[in-house]
Amino acid sequence: MKNIIVIGNGMVGYKFCEKFVAAQTTGFTLTVFGEEPRPAYDRVHLSAYFEDENAIKLEMAPASWYTDNGINLITNNRIVDINKEAKTVTDQHNQQHTYDYLVLATGSVPFVPPIKGVEKEGVFVYRTIEDLEGMIAYAKHINQIKPNGKAAILGGGLLGLEAGKAVMDMGLEPHVVEFAPKLMPRQLDARSSKVLQLKLESMGIHIHLSKATNQILGDEIITGMEFGEDDILETDMLIISAGIRPRDELGKTCGLKMGIRGGIEVNSRMQTSDPYIFAIGEVALYNQMIYGLVAPGYDMAHVAVQQILGHTDITMASDIDMSTKLKLIGVDVASFGTPFMPADKGLSIIFENKTQFLYKRINVSLDGKKLLGGIMVGDAADYSMLHQIYLNGMAIPEDPAQLILPASEGGGLLGDVMDLPDEAQVCSCESVSKGQICNTIETGAATDLAGVVSCTKAGTGCGGCKPMVKDLTEATLKSLGIEVKDHICEHFDFNRQELYSLIQVKGYETFNEVLDNHGNGGHGCEICKPVVASLMATIHADTANKEYAIQDSNDRFLANIQRNGTYSVVPRVPGGEITPDKLIALGEIAKKYDLYTKITGGVRIDLFGATLNQLPLIWKELISHGFESGHAYGKSLRTVKTCVGSTWCRYGMDESVSFGIELENRYRGIRAPHKIKGGVSGCIRECAEARGKDFGLIAVEGGWNLYVGGNGGANPRHAELLAEQIDNQTVIKYLDRYLMFYMRTAKPLQRTAAWQERLDGGMAYLKEVIIEDKLGIAADLEAEMQTLVNKFECEWTQAVNNPEMMKRFNHFVNSKEEDDNLVFVPMREQKMPQQWQ
């Protein structure tokens, strides 16, 4: 029997044990030494301990697991010496233990800066459960003797900010002190850090940047921090979270090769300078780097196990992916690939909305064809797919901005998880691929998400891959014909279709009615609120104005917010046809309000740079000239693009402009799961690009060919042929049915292309429903659409004629003043927002 000793029972030490057990090998004994009094626990989610102070919930595995798997776990015992020649280790009780292979998984310790007074009572580090227990007890003491107590956190990195939330939970006023000029300096650029700072400050966390602490004030107990002669922060408690240092003292004392700045050097086999001693996790210096993430540590544990078992061909990758997604104090923060991109290496595209504390940045290659990295703050829902596009070198849209723009601004086209290659690594912590996840379902090993997680352990590490694991599970189940219950969010145990029926039958007219009668408590979220708003607008044939507070921001203000806080105004120009008088009117209005003008890809004129208080004034003038809202901000019909057709073109076979105008006027204002675009081409030359639209018509001999379910974006898709050689009346009948069926059954934010692709029975089934009326609902669908058509009302007109609605178009609640922070610079005889520094 060969003896393996593991020193350190943190997350990586435990993972070594787990990988060793999974290998089902014989001929070895495994002994694990841990300094702490309990088995390994999840340090990544350490802050969860503040919720209920339950250490058991954080355990990676109970003590019985080690016993059941033949592992000798020795807790509360520190190894103090290694004798490489004799292959022994000595513990704190002066007992010697012999090894054949030694694995150092000692991790790291908090870095405590050499600040005068740091030894005072009330100063803590943020590393172990015992540290947290000490903080909780001390905070209770402060609350008993002093109202409005304060606690400072030294360090504005990940753990420091988590500590800030913990301080709030303990009833103290939190102050985060950071030496660098920005928060999370290793993960975020200056602008994303500023957005995060604004969000945290809005939550009540005070941020102090560019602060070097000279000393801790107080006699024996901390009373404050001094940064300069007249720069003092009073505080009753200090939590130090200023980084980590590898726990490498055993390597130093036994003569292993060390890094200049610490860490035990290892090769790609995780071997130290002694081939019988391995180092894994935060104590290991690989590629001259200490990797502080869980995923690389787990990979190291796997490699060390395989090397000890004789599989010497299994080694660490030369490049370590440092991408990560975290929910920091309830705020999404993520970075992947190369988050900081020098100008000579690539191009950066940025979307920022400080009003909603959102920041997204992607970096693409100089030729615009490859995704190289990115940063997300506030909304990282698309992280998993963007990460996969980066890892697998997948194609990106011709306009890469679509990858990060909100769906209402032409973005949200990331493709389908099933498009990923089987070898795509979905869970980096546990090295689980898409193929492994799908295979557990296809072979019957798992029948739901819980089963997939149990079989593969995907999502059990940092948790960043959970959304993609869920999507893959559901997509695979559906492909096998298994029904998947698809709830909208945690506030409702219903999918979109079920809520549609509930609202329709019960006649609810407010979000609170729906939530109170069918919700799970709480106040709703950014997912369910816009969904319910859209459903009520469809069912009651109403506009977005009725419950504007639960709408997305663009719907709320009936305009698209731009990167400098101004708005764009897009009046409807049905079919792209416009009179000279109306063109002149648009030009005069743009000149009057000094707006940037551009013809859009949907053949409309967009007016940029309007301030919030200018919107109603601009709308009034547009309305007086016969314009109405173009719904560029809404999940609704955008445009019906047309060519000139038989009116002018010698190739034209039908009047595409006239029919395009009729269709656009018919479907304007309808609320749908996603935006809708149409196109009408007068012949097969296809100048209106009708087959790239949600619905498209092409004139042929004998009538129109009707195509449905197309789109551009990251995964362009041609619309499919629904019906051939039909007249105008039949086109409208089929389109009424198609659009209403889509609006009834699609998921939130699901384009027609994605909905159609996942429709059971595909195009054949769709033809049966729409053309043959297989379900017997055709008349109902037509009647519902006609109700929406009959009750159309321009939202701009509705807003300017209602004094109560007009109140929301002021920059400030208590003042009529305008925003004086807007700065524009010249650009080609027009203007643009000044670039951020």
Side-chain angles (χ1 to χ4, degrees):
M1 298 288 285
K2 293 188 178 295
N3 299 324
I4 303 172
I5 290 179
V6 178
I7 303 177
N9 190 37
M11 294 179 72
V12 174
Y14 164 78
K15 187 56 61 174
F16 178 92
C17 298
E18 186 183 87
K19 298 283 186 182
F20 184 82
V21 170
Q24 295 183 338
T25 188
T26 57
F28 293 90
T29 63
L30 180 56
T31 301
V32 182
F33 286 90
E35 282 187 18
E36 294 186 57
R38 53 175 55 87
Y41 55 89
D42 184 356
R43 287 191 208 276
V44 172
H45 299 103
L46 186 61
S47 298
Y49 182 75
F50 287 103
E51 296 175 7
D52 52 18
E53 300 181 34
N54 188 341
I56 300 299
K57 286 185 178 180
L58 291 174
E59 280 187 357
M60 306 290 287
S64 59
W65 178 87
Y66 296 85
T67 303
D68 293 344
N69 288 285
I71 300 171
N72 182 23
L73 174 63
I74 303 174
T75 58
N76 217 18
N77 193 347
R78 183 165 61 94
I79 297 298
V80 297
D81 185 52
I82 299 171
N83 187 324
K84 294 188 300 180
E85 289 70 28
K87 287 189 175 182
T88 61
V89 298
T90 304
D91 64 25
Q92 66 186 57
H93 305 298
N94 206 32
Q95 297 292 314
Q96 288 191 341
H97 309 267
T98 303
Y99 69 83
D100 293 285
Y101 297 100
L102 181 63
V103 179
L104 301 179
T106 47
S108 61
V109 292
F111 169 63
V112 178
I115 301 171
K116 182 180 177 182
V118 76
E119 74 288 345
K120 287 180 169 53
E121 184 180 341
V123 179
F124 298 86
V125 294
Y126 192 91
R127 184 65 176 171
T128 68
I129 288 178
E130 284 70 33
D131 293 331
L132 270 57
E133 289 174 340
M135 292 178 208
I136 293 170
Y138 199 79
K140 288 179 180 177
H141 170 68
I142 294 172
N143 289 327
Q144 288 173 352
I145 64 173
K146 180 179 181 181
N148 305 316
K150 297 180 182 179
I153 300 93
L154 185 61
L158 169 63
L159 279 180
L161 297 180
E162 288 285 4
K165 174 61 165 59
V167 164
M168 291 182 69
D169 293 341
M170 290 186 287
L172 303 176
E173 182 181 290
H175 291 259
V176 173
V177 178
E178 169 57 46
F179 176 76
K182 63 179 181 177
L183 296 173
M184 298 187 71
R186 295 193 177 199
Q187 292 88 2
L188 302 181
D189 59 15
R191 288 170 60 176
S192 58
S193 179
K194 184 63 177 178
V195 171
L196 178 61
Q197 179 182 345
L198 291 173
K199 175 62 176 177
L200 297 180
E201 288 174 337
S202 74
M203 298 167 62
I205 298 177
H206 302 267
I207 308 295
H208 308 266
L209 302 176
S210 302
K211 296 291 185 183
T213 307
N214 292 338
Q215 63 173 320
I216 308 299
L217 302 177
D219 294 329
E220 295 181 359
I221 301 173
I222 181 173
T223 59
M225 302 169 68
E226 183 211 306
F227 309 119
E229 189 172 331
D230 298 314
D231 192 359
I232 292 174
L233 173 65
E234 293 183 358
T235 184
D236 305 293
M237 179 177 172
L238 174 62
I239 300 171
I240 296 178
S241 180
I244 60 171
R245 294 293 182 269
R247 186 75 182 276
D248 57 8
E249 62 271 19
L250 286 174
K252 290 178 184 176
T253 56
C254 77
L256 295 177
K257 187 176 181 181
M258 309 294 293
I260 295 174
R261 297 183 179 180
I264 301 173
E265 287 196 13
V266 294
N267 58 23
S268 62
R269 297 179 176 182
M270 293 298 102
Q271 291 171 312
T272 65
S273 53
D274 184 320
Y276 297 100
I277 302 178
F278 297 78
I280 57 178
E282 291 172 335
V283 73
L285 186 71
Y286 179 60
N287 289 340
Q288 293 303 305
M289 278 190 65
I290 298 291
Y291 296 95
L293 297 178
V294 169
Y298 283 4
D299 287 342
M300 291 176 181
H302 174 70
V303 170
V305 168
Q306 295 302 315
Q307 289 292 326
I308 290 173
L309 298 182
H311 306 300
T312 55
D313 56 325
I314 297 178
T315 59
M316 279 292 287
S318 56
D319 294 322
I320 304 298
D321 180 23
M322 295 294 287
S323 305
T324 184
K325 175 189 172 187
L326 308 158
K327 186 169 282 290
L328 180 69
I329 319 180
V331 182
D332 280 345
V333 178
S335 65
F336 65 95
T338 304
F340 311 112
M341 180 60 61
D344 61 334
K345 300 291 185 181
L347 305 172
S348 295
I349 300 169
I350 294 172
F351 170 80
E352 183 176 43
N353 184 349
K354 288 183 179 177
T355 64
Q356 295 185 343
F357 308 109
L358 295 178
Y359 177 90
K360 295 182 181 182
R361 166 181 174 168
I362 55 171
N363 303 316
V364 300
S365 57
L366 292 172
D367 61 7
K369 294 183 178 180
K370 285 191 175 182
L371 183 62
L372 303 179
I375 296 171
M376 296 178 167
V377 172
D379 176 14
D382 295 332
Y383 164 80
S384 294
M385 197 64 192
L386 287 170
H387 187 211
Q388 291 299 330
I389 291 173
Y390 155 71
L391 286 177
N392 296 285
M394 297 168 67
I396 61 176
E398 186 175 338
D399 177 11
Q402 291 178 307
L403 294 174
I404 56 171
L405 283 175
S408 60
E409 297 187 25
L413 300 175
L414 287 173
D416 191 283
V417 288
M418 296 303 281
D419 295 334
L420 295 173
D422 284 347
E423 61 273 14
Q425 189 180 76
V426 174
C427 177
S428 55
C429 292
E430 296 289 344
S431 298
V432 183
S433 68
K434 173 207 168 185
Q436 289 172 286
I437 291 170
C438 297
N439 187 59
T440 59
I441 301 167
E442 292 166 350
T443 60
T447 57
D448 56 17
L449 180 61
V452 169
V453 172
S454 176
C455 290
T456 66
K457 293 192 175 293
T460 59
C462 70
C465 65
K466 285 182 178 178
M468 182 165 281
V469 175
K470 179 177 182 289
D471 289 346
L472 281 169
T473 300
E474 292 182 355
T476 307
L477 287 169
K478 287 180 180 178
S479 71
L480 298 173
I482 301 172
E483 182 182 359
V484 178
K485 193 70 172 177
D486 190 15
H487 298 165
I488 284 181
C489 68
E490 64 192 69
H491 298 103
F492 290 99
D493 291 333
F494 303 98
N495 59 29
R496 186 179 180 277
Q497 292 69 51
E498 290 165 338
L499 276 181
Y500 187 107
S501 299
L502 283 170
I503 295 169
Q504 187 176 47
V505 171
K506 299 286 188 178
Y508 298 130
E509 295 189 354
T510 68
F511 175 77
N512 285 338
E513 284 181 299
V514 182
L515 186 64
D516 291 344
N517 288 285
H518 304 286
N520 297 325
H523 303 286
C525 65
E526 69 278 6
I527 297 174
C528 60
K529 286 180 178 180
V531 170
V532 171
S534 174
L535 291 175
M536 289 194 295
T538 298
I539 291 167
H540 302 307
D542 215 333
T543 67
N545 285 322
K546 187 167 185 179
E547 273 209 287
Y548 75 92
I550 64 170
Q551 300 280 0
D552 289 323
S553 59
N554 288 339
D555 264 313
R556 191 174 305 172
F557 298 113
L558 310 179
N560 284 332
I561 190 170
Q562 303 303 315
R563 69 178 175 88
N564 67 336
T566 60
Y567 294 81
S568 67
V569 178
V570 187
R572 188 170 296 286
V573 180
E577 180 183 86
I578 189 168
T579 65
D581 284 342
K582 284 191 173 183
L583 271 176
I584 291 169
L586 286 178
E588 289 176 342
I589 291 169
K591 284 180 68 175
K592 179 177 179 179
Y593 293 96
D594 191 22
L595 304 175
Y596 169 88
T597 57
K598 183 184 183 301
I599 296 175
T600 72
V603 293
R604 297 192 290 191
I605 295 175
D606 204 342
L607 311 176
F608 291 85
T611 57
L612 187 62
N613 61 300
Q614 287 178 334
L615 288 176
L617 304 176
I618 295 170
W619 296 341
K620 282 182 180 179
E621 294 201 36
L622 288 171
I623 291 165
S624 71
H625 289 283
F627 289 101
E628 63 186 29
S629 168
H631 292 92
Y633 48 82
K635 308 298 185 294
S636 53
L637 179 76
R638 297 295 177 84
T639 62
V640 178
K641 188 175 181 180
T642 67
C643 65
V644 296
S646 59
T647 309
W648 293 91
C649 180
R650 67 183 186 275
Y651 299 106
M653 302 190 69
D654 211 323
E655 269 223 83
S656 55
V657 180
S658 298
F659 199 25
I661 293 172
E662 181 181 354
L663 293 174
E664 185 161 344
N665 284 332
R666 180 172 184 79
Y667 300 122
R668 61 189 175 175
I670 61 173
R671 292 284 158 171
H674 211 299
K675 64 184 176 185
I676 301 170
K677 295 182 179 181
V680 184
S681 288
C683 72
I684 59 172
R685 290 161 63 88
E686 251 283 70
C687 293
E689 301 165 336
R691 289 202 65 193
K693 305 291 190 290
D694 296 275
F695 66 85
L697 297 168
I698 300 176
V700 295
E701 287 286 349
W704 300 96
N705 283 358
L706 172 58
Y707 297 85
V708 292
N711 65 243
N715 290 286
R717 175 179 171 136
H718 265 136
E720 297 179 78
L721 182 64
L722 180 67
E724 295 182 83
Q725 297 175 309
I726 54 178
D727 59 20
N728 290 26
Q729 186 177 359
T730 306
V731 167
I732 291 173
K733 179 170 66 173
Y734 287 171
L735 270 181
D736 282 358
R737 298 174 182 179
Y738 174 80
L739 291 173
M740 207 68 226
F741 189 49
Y742 159 66
M743 290 157 64
R744 274 190 176 191
T745 60
K747 293 181 180 180
L749 298 180
Q750 189 176 42
R751 289 291 299 268
T752 57
W755 166 73
Q756 203 165 295
E757 186 176 329
R758 292 162 181 77
L759 198 63
D760 291 340
M763 180 53 68
Y765 172 72
L766 193 61
K767 288 180 178 179
E768 290 176 343
V769 173
I770 303 303
I771 299 174
E772 301 170 20
D773 193 17
K774 177 181 180 179
L775 302 180
I777 60 172
D780 293 336
L781 297 176
E782 292 174 33
E784 284 185 58
M785 180 59 76
Q786 192 60 50
T787 298
L788 295 177
V789 171
N790 293 342
K791 289 192 175 183
F792 167 76
E793 186 175 357
C794 173
E795 293 168 353
W796 288 353
T797 304
Q798 192 180 57
V800 298
N801 290 337
N802 187 317
E804 197 61 34
M805 290 182 188
M806 289 288 285
K807 291 180 181 178
R808 70 178 185 258
F809 295 100
N810 288 325
H811 278 290
F812 306 103
V813 174
N814 58 351
S815 171
K816 295 291 185 181
E817 292 184 15
E818 297 185 11
D819 185 355
D820 58 2
N821 294 311
L822 300 175
V823 181
F824 296 92
V825 295
M827 183 182 71
R828 293 187 295 277
E829 300 182 17
Q830 295 202 71
K831 67 177 185 179
M832 63 173 281
Q834 184 181 50
Q835 295 288 351
W836 287 305
Q837 298 301 317

